[in-house]
Amino acid sequence: LVPLAAVVQEKSRGNPFYIRMILETCYRKNCIWYSWRDAAWEFDLDRVFSEFVVPGYGEGIGTSFVVKRLQEMPSAARSIVLWAALLGTTFSFSLVQKLLSGEFLFEVGGEEKDDVTCPAQTKWKQNSSDIVAGLQFLLQAYIIIPGETDDEFR
């Protein structure tokens, strides 16, 4: 495991969040797997290197990796993360759910075609079951964690 650990350490620069994301990505992309026959974890180092290509030797994965991971998320999960980032360190899920349901959108007539407050123009409105599924995805991926109450997350 020393070669895999060295690659993960180099790419993550020791950042625990990046380490988890790298290992999770490796598992999803079959770069690492559990061999029941050998009763051990195995990996393909060439596939790991090809998955985390960086411009220069010794560089970390950087923001392009995080952007790629965000683009792989379900739409509702991405929307929750975006609103959570705007709301602050902790956020109320019921507030985010209201924002994503379109409750605060309004139409007065004569809106321009790129007016994001107009319900007819909005493409990011989510239904309740998708929003809950997005929350579940984010919790399972440890991108957000529960707060002090059932409605609070960080």
Side-chain angles (χ1 to χ4, degrees):
L1 288 178
V2 173
L4 177 63
V7 170
V8 171
Q9 174 64 30
E10 176 190 337
K11 301 297 181 188
S12 68
R13 303 270 181 167
N15 183 327
F17 180 72
Y18 282 165
I19 291 171
R20 188 192 54 75
M21 288 181 71
I22 289 169
L23 291 173
E24 180 182 273
T25 301
C26 286
Y27 182 74
R28 274 188 310 103
K29 306 262 177 150
N30 294 321
C31 300
I32 60 174
W33 62 92
Y34 187 77
S35 170
W36 293 100
R37 183 181 53 200
D38 299 330
W41 284 93
E42 296 182 2
F43 58 94
D44 183 346
L45 205 54
D46 293 332
R47 290 176 76 180
V48 172
F49 275 118
S50 65
E51 191 62 39
F52 302 103
V53 175
V54 291
Y57 176 75
E59 291 183 23
I61 51 176
T63 57
S64 62
F65 174 71
V66 175
V67 169
K68 184 178 172 185
R69 287 283 292 136
L70 284 172
Q71 290 170 342
E72 293 173 353
M73 281 185 192
S75 173
R78 228 181 5 254
S79 297
I80 292 170
V81 167
L82 293 173
W83 275 112
L86 290 172
L87 293 173
T89 306
T90 61
F91 66 95
S92 162
F93 178 67
S94 58
L95 175 60
V96 171
Q97 197 169 21
K98 286 179 182 180
L99 291 167
L100 292 174
S101 70
E103 182 178 328
F104 299 108
L105 297 177
F106 61 92
E107 189 171 3
V108 293
E111 281 84 15
E112 296 181 23
K113 68 177 186 172
D114 59 348
D115 185 356
V116 296
T117 63
C118 176
Q121 305 297 332
T122 302
K123 296 179 178 109
W124 52 264
K125 240 169 72 168
Q126 305 280 337
N127 66 39
S128 184
S129 62
D130 288 343
I131 297 169
V132 171
L135 176 69
Q136 188 66 32
F137 175 88
L138 293 170
L139 287 169
Q140 288 176 342
Y142 297 102
I143 294 172
I144 62 171
I145 58 173
E148 300 294 322
T149 66
D150 289 343
D151 188 46
E152 185 180 292
F153 296 90
R154 296 181 288 153

